[in-house]
Amino acid sequence: MGNRGMEDLIPLVNRLQDAFSSIGQSCNLDLPQIAVVGGQSAGKSSVLENFVGRDFLPRGSGIVTRRPLVLQLINANAEWAEFLHCKGKKFTDFEEVRQEIEAETDRVTGANKGISPVPINLRVYSPNVLNLTLIDLPGITKVPVGDQPADIEHQIRDMIMQFICRESCLILAVTPANTDLANSDALKLAKDVDPQGQRTIGVITKLDLMDEGTDARDVLENKLLPLRRGYIGVVNRSQKDIDGKKDIKAALAAERKFFLTHPAYRHIADSMGTPHLQKVLNQQLTNHIRDTLPAFRSKLQSQLLSLDREAEEYRHYRPDDPSRKTKALLQMVQQFSVDFEKRIEGSGDQVDTVELSGGAKINRIFHERFPFELVKMECDEKEMRREISYAIKNIHGIRTGLFTPDMAFEAIVKKQVVKIKEPCIKCIDLVVQELINTVRQCSNKLDSFPHLREETERIVTSHIRDRESQAKEQVLLLIDVQLAYINTNHEDFIGFAKYVQIFVIRKGWLTINNISIMKGGAKEYWFVLTAESLSWFKDDEEKEKKYMLPLDNLKVRDVEKSFMSSKHMFAIFNTEQRNVFKDNRFLELACDTLEEVESWRASLLRAGVYPERAAVSSSGPAENFSMDPQLERKVETIRNLVDSYMAIVNKCIRDLMPKTIMHLMINNVKDFINAELLAQLYSAGDQNALMDESQEQVQRREEVLRTHHALKEALAIIGDISTTTISTPLPPPVDNSWLHAGAGGSHKVFTGDLSLGAVEVLSRC
């Protein structure tokens, strides 16, 4: 039975590949092909020239084939050749074909014997060929020549593996008869990717050059070093024949005579020679194509499904219809508005799981980034205390103040409030950037109409910039309002009066060491330190107060750790030689660790209780801390009152910023897009020009329609093939343990003539 359907299918797939390539895509329809693999000077090129019946391949020493040559043999009534990179130009002189191959090779690889995996595609039409697609690969080499890189062997191996590792690729392993077959590079590579031998065909060349008294009969009969698909012997022209321009037809006749007259080969002469090899390859490739049809059909169907919806939209499309342009403009603007709102407000349908939308990012700016910026702007603690100290001193001037001045508090608070401006402005800038990014993302759907997209982005971005300036003015106004009046009567502000009572600098357990044994000895109490006093309680519930010690005229001194105690100690005493606690001139306190002692000393310093002998730095005491305990307590008071008031301001700003930006910017931009964008577009210029399609879109529409039609037609042809062709079994497994690979099972393949144009498909798959 025939395979006319296959002949129709492959040219169609060739056109399909061209259509996808022209729009920058690949349909990846991996049709079968035959890769010719062998060592240098194994006779690969001569075999291909014998197929064509013409001299057309470059010759020379070393690596001659430096780029893969995809050779497409197509049976036709006339004889000519053409290259894919010179499409439309017919070569009838095959010497010119050779020159073009050499020129195209040098164009990519240079003249330094380098290699490249970029293939050269050559079609040969001739009445003397059978339909075949073969890929002539660079010969396997071991030693670099000329300017070749040191790893040339690995480069060639990697290139060959790119082709032969595909399951759809048949491997034509070419080996000279005058070398050791067990060490054949071609067979070793084939074994690596095809251990069961289902895709490997052996070719033995140079049978006429074997030593006298030796032959390759056992190999050709597949008895020695067997392959599942067997071996075919060929006799190519010698270098002398080539130099003497011996006609290939005469060479084929000489090859036929060699097999018929050689005593070791004449009984298998009908299954040897170049014509038989060409016929076998034609049949094997056709069988292989038949075997891969199910996967091929599946790929075609998936391609068709992906294009169905788009093709349906384009089928009745009239690009120059004015009513269509008006309708399309309305639809585009409406879709842009819907997309923008969904990205800002969120949507339950078509949720993006890859990245955050504009609305989600703005939410993060409001509730994560902006609060972080507010916290980050907090000043250095030492710098803050120094500023408060200077403010108090400058307000009192030459006099010594008795009370903590309100003006110092207001001056420090206003300075802190002014610092809020920077993170507020930065917050608006971040939101503006996200809005502009969202506009660009939404306008991606307008790519088909570049003028419309450009104008839409310009109009909406300009409006966002206008609203940005208004939002910044409003936010700065909010901060000026905060500066205008410092409301110390705010319900959340602790205030000067309440501060002394409620503000606690530190709490924790301490042991009083200097209690006499008659009164119970050393005992642990819960201590509470405020800016005015040091109190201790029976326990941390603070219900039973044992004592309250005012901090006036108190200082701290070091106490050496006693030999019998594991605790670290310090003592508090009165500078006026008064008793500190009952009959005791000092209060000896103990902690478990030295770190706790240092921490308590630092807290007492904040409360104005200084060490007995304070260290003076090189910058002098006036520059670092005051020796006046009263001033230090005032600094501590104002410091904590500033914290209390700034917490109120920050809370207010954190609440108002998102509301202000939403009202003045985000909601306003949404309303503008809904209500005014279309009118602005109409007033911007010629509506017809706005709706002019991009050249890429025009090409895309044409290619989609053409490709969709080709896919449907290809699927119909495949359906016919599956019912009008027959299959033959693969040869049974052989003992190929010499290749260190196990045998595999058999499968069914299709027999018949290979269809026209298979080569071009293979070259692009």
Side-chain angles (χ1 to χ4, degrees):
M1 302 185 69
N3 69 336
R4 180 63 193 169
M6 185 70 77
E7 292 178 2
D8 291 339
L9 171 64
I10 294 180
L12 181 64
V13 175
N14 288 345
R15 295 198 302 273
L16 186 62
Q17 292 279 12
D18 287 344
F20 273 86
S21 298
S22 65
I23 57 174
Q25 299 180 18
S26 172
C27 55
N28 295 320
L29 300 175
D30 206 9
L31 279 176
Q33 54 199 9
I34 300 176
V36 184
V37 181
Q40 282 187 32
S41 304
K44 303 188 305 300
S45 298
S46 295
V47 170
L48 298 181
E49 287 183 335
N50 287 350
F51 285 169
V52 177
R54 294 281 188 173
D55 289 318
F56 67 96
L57 293 174
R59 297 273 179 183
S61 60
I63 299 180
V64 178
T65 305
R66 293 185 284 126
R67 288 176 60 184
L69 175 68
V70 180
L71 178 61
Q72 306 174 358
L73 305 182
I74 302 172
N75 186 269
N77 294 326
E79 188 176 50
W80 79 92
E82 67 180 21
F83 290 91
L84 191 62
H85 63 271
C86 303
K87 203 163 187 178
K89 181 180 179 181
K90 291 186 177 182
F91 292 79
T92 54
D93 183 350
F94 280 81
E95 183 61 33
E96 291 183 10
V97 173
R98 185 205 309 275
Q99 294 171 1
E100 181 62 30
I101 292 174
E102 292 174 343
E104 179 64 12
T105 299
D106 290 343
R107 186 183 66 81
V108 174
T109 65
N112 65 347
K113 299 291 184 182
I115 65 170
S116 168
V118 180
I120 298 174
N121 294 74
L122 172 64
R123 289 181 184 175
V124 175
Y125 298 83
S126 171
N128 304 317
V129 301
L130 295 178
N131 296 323
L132 268 182
T133 297
L134 304 108
I135 302 176
D136 187 19
L137 296 169
I140 303 164
T141 186
K142 303 288 185 184
V143 181
V145 177
D147 295 332
Q148 289 176 347
D151 64 341
I152 187 71
E153 178 184 357
H154 297 293
Q155 287 189 26
I156 293 175
R157 178 184 171 87
D158 291 343
M159 185 194 304
I160 293 172
M161 294 297 280
Q162 287 178 14
F163 288 91
I164 67 175
C165 66
R166 301 174 186 171
E167 287 297 322
S168 60
C169 179
L170 292 174
I171 305 166
L172 195 64
V174 180
T175 305
N178 55 356
T179 61
D180 184 2
L181 191 65
N183 292 323
S184 166
D185 292 324
L187 290 174
K188 284 181 180 178
L189 283 176
K191 180 263 295 186
D192 289 342
V193 296
D194 181 32
Q196 296 183 356
Q198 294 185 352
R199 300 188 282 119
T200 305
I201 304 167
V203 175
I204 306 298
T205 62
K206 302 186 180 180
L207 289 166
D208 54 330
L209 300 181
M210 295 184 71
D211 293 339
E212 189 174 349
T214 62
D215 60 59
R217 175 175 176 173
D218 288 343
V219 173
L220 295 176
E221 289 179 349
N222 213 24
K223 294 177 181 177
L224 179 68
L225 311 178
L227 287 176
R228 191 165 186 178
R229 292 184 184 266
Y231 296 89
I232 297 174
V234 296
V235 175
N236 298 324
R237 292 176 299 166
S238 66
Q239 190 61 46
K240 181 180 178 181
D241 294 337
I242 295 170
D243 294 339
K245 303 291 183 182
K246 183 176 181 179
D247 183 63
I248 291 181
K249 289 183 179 179
L252 292 176
E255 177 190 50
R256 177 66 177 163
K257 181 180 179 182
F258 172 82
F259 284 113
L260 287 172
T261 59
H262 197 288
Y265 308 132
R266 57 188 171 198
H267 68 291
I268 53 173
D270 290 340
S271 59
M272 295 290 120
T274 301
H276 179 73
L277 174 60
Q278 191 174 3
K279 191 181 301 181
V280 167
L281 292 180
N282 171 270
Q283 178 182 332
Q284 299 278 25
L285 182 60
T286 308
N287 289 348
H288 210 51
I289 288 176
R290 172 64 181 84
D291 190 46
T292 57
L293 275 180
F296 183 45
R297 180 190 292 109
S298 177
K299 287 187 178 181
L300 287 173
Q301 288 171 336
S302 64
Q303 292 283 338
L304 184 65
L305 285 173
S306 66
L307 292 177
D308 268 344
R309 183 175 178 182
E310 197 173 1
E312 187 61 32
E313 291 176 1
Y314 291 150
R315 190 164 287 117
H316 306 294
Y317 193 79
R318 300 291 179 270
D320 297 325
D321 184 359
S323 62
R324 182 207 61 80
K325 289 189 174 183
T326 303
K327 182 180 178 181
L329 177 60
L330 291 171
Q331 289 175 337
M332 291 286 183
V333 172
Q334 185 179 17
Q335 187 61 47
F336 178 83
S337 175
V338 170
D339 290 345
F340 184 84
E341 183 150 0
K342 281 184 177 181
R343 284 186 171 272
I344 296 298
E345 298 293 342
S347 169
D349 61 327
Q350 298 179 350
V351 177
D352 189 349
T353 58
V354 177
E355 63 175 355
L356 292 176
S357 66
K361 289 181 179 178
I362 291 172
N363 180 276
R364 288 183 63 179
I365 293 171
F366 285 160
H367 303 297
E368 294 180 26
R369 185 68 184 271
F370 179 57
F372 171 74
E373 294 292 336
L374 287 177
V375 171
K376 193 172 73 172
M377 75 163 198
E378 290 181 358
C379 68
D380 180 75
E381 179 67 23
K382 289 183 179 179
E383 180 68 16
M384 168 76 83
R385 299 181 77 86
R386 188 182 64 79
E387 289 179 0
I388 295 172
S389 175
Y390 284 176
I392 292 172
K393 289 177 180 178
N394 289 335
I395 287 169
H396 286 319
I398 199 171
R399 299 173 182 81
T400 301
L402 298 176
F403 304 103
T404 305
D406 289 6
M407 291 176 64
F409 165 74
E410 287 202 11
I412 298 300
V413 164
K414 287 182 178 180
K415 191 171 182 180
Q416 293 300 304
V417 171
V418 168
K419 291 180 180 179
I420 296 178
K421 288 183 178 181
E422 184 178 344
C424 288
I425 297 300
K426 187 174 182 179
C427 177
I428 294 175
D429 290 338
L430 291 172
V431 172
V432 166
Q433 190 57 51
E434 286 304 329
L435 286 175
I436 292 174
N437 289 342
T438 302
V439 168
R440 288 173 180 162
Q441 289 168 350
C442 294
S443 66
N444 284 339
K445 292 185 178 179
L446 308 180
D447 270 345
S448 303
F449 307 98
H451 296 301
L452 176 62
R453 175 176 183 171
E454 182 181 341
E455 199 63 24
T456 300
E457 286 185 2
R458 183 190 66 78
I459 291 171
V460 178
T461 302
S462 297
H463 184 74
I464 290 173
R465 292 297 183 188
D466 290 342
R467 302 309 300 178
E468 174 190 9
S469 59
Q470 294 186 37
K472 286 181 177 178
E473 288 175 7
Q474 183 62 32
V475 168
L476 293 177
L477 178 62
L478 288 176
I479 295 173
D480 289 340
V481 167
Q482 293 289 343
L483 290 169
Y485 181 65
I486 306 301
N487 181 19
T488 55
N489 263 343
H490 194 284
E491 59 183 6
D492 294 334
F493 183 58
I494 59 175
F496 284 92
K498 291 186 287 181
Y499 169 76
V500 176
Q501 300 173 11
I502 68 171
F503 186 78
V504 175
I505 297 174
R506 184 182 177 87
K507 294 182 179 184
W509 292 99
L510 286 172
T511 300
I512 300 179
N513 254 19
N514 57 332
I515 299 177
S516 66
I517 297 176
M518 297 294 293
K519 295 183 179 181
K523 196 170 182 180
E524 195 172 37
Y525 293 98
W526 179 258
F527 279 74
V528 177
L529 175 66
T530 68
E532 299 294 327
S533 66
L534 178 65
S535 305
W536 57 92
F537 298 81
K538 179 181 178 181
D539 52 40
D540 56 5
E541 293 183 3
E542 300 181 15
K543 291 181 179 179
E544 186 180 339
K545 183 184 288 188
K546 292 295 184 180
Y547 199 83
M548 185 178 76
L549 180 65
L551 300 182
D552 294 331
N553 302 318
L554 294 185
K555 280 195 174 184
V556 177
R557 68 158 61 120
D558 295 327
V559 176
E560 291 187 8
K561 181 179 176 183
S562 68
F563 178 74
M564 299 296 293
S565 174
S566 63
K567 291 182 177 289
H568 299 265
M569 293 176 284
F570 64 96
I572 297 174
F573 67 97
N574 192 297
T575 56
E576 296 181 352
Q577 303 299 317
R578 295 178 182 173
N579 290 341
V580 174
F581 169 54
K582 296 185 179 179
D583 297 332
N584 299 305
R585 286 293 180 92
F586 61 90
L587 182 65
E588 191 175 289
L589 302 172
C591 304
D592 290 331
T593 65
L594 186 60
E595 288 76 14
E596 284 186 83
V597 170
E598 294 301 326
S599 180
W600 271 103
R601 288 167 65 93
S603 299
L604 287 165
L605 185 64
R606 288 176 58 192
V609 180
Y610 289 91
E612 183 178 17
R613 290 180 295 277
V616 179
S617 68
S618 59
S619 58
E623 291 298 323
N624 289 279
F625 60 85
S626 169
M627 296 300 293
D628 180 2
Q630 191 68 27
L631 175 61
E632 194 63 29
R633 280 197 284 275
K634 290 177 182 177
V635 170
E636 181 67 23
T637 299
I638 291 180
R639 174 72 185 89
N640 290 292
L641 290 173
V642 168
D643 275 351
S644 174
Y645 194 83
M646 287 307 298
I648 296 169
V649 174
N650 284 343
K651 183 179 179 181
C652 179
I653 294 296
R654 283 176 60 179
D655 180 59
L656 287 175
M657 275 293 293
K659 294 176 179 177
T660 302
I661 293 173
M662 281 298 297
H663 174 67
L664 292 177
M665 287 183 61
I666 297 174
N667 289 341
N668 185 279
V669 171
K670 286 195 302 182
D671 293 341
F672 172 82
I673 292 173
N674 279 326
E676 299 183 41
L677 175 59
L678 187 61
Q680 294 264 13
L681 287 169
Y682 271 114
S683 63
D686 183 9
Q687 289 77 48
N688 286 330
L690 281 178
M691 297 308 294
D692 284 344
E693 287 184 300
S694 65
Q695 190 60 36
E696 292 80 5
Q697 178 63 16
V698 174
Q699 292 176 357
R700 168 73 181 169
R701 184 172 66 251
E702 293 173 354
E703 295 299 340
V704 165
L705 291 173
R706 186 163 59 246
T707 302
H708 188 266
H709 175 74
L711 284 166
K712 289 179 70 174
E713 192 173 343
L715 281 169
I717 292 173
I718 290 179
D720 293 340
I721 289 171
S722 63
T723 58
T724 60
T725 58
I726 58 175
S727 61
T728 57
L730 186 71
V734 296
D735 179 12
N736 58 355
S737 57
W738 64 281
L739 283 175
H740 308 292
S746 63
H747 63 284
K748 296 208 168 191
V749 289
F750 163 76
T751 60
D753 295 331
L754 180 65
S755 53
L756 293 175
V759 182
E760 181 174 348
V761 180
L762 306 177
S763 68
R764 290 179 172 80
C765 287

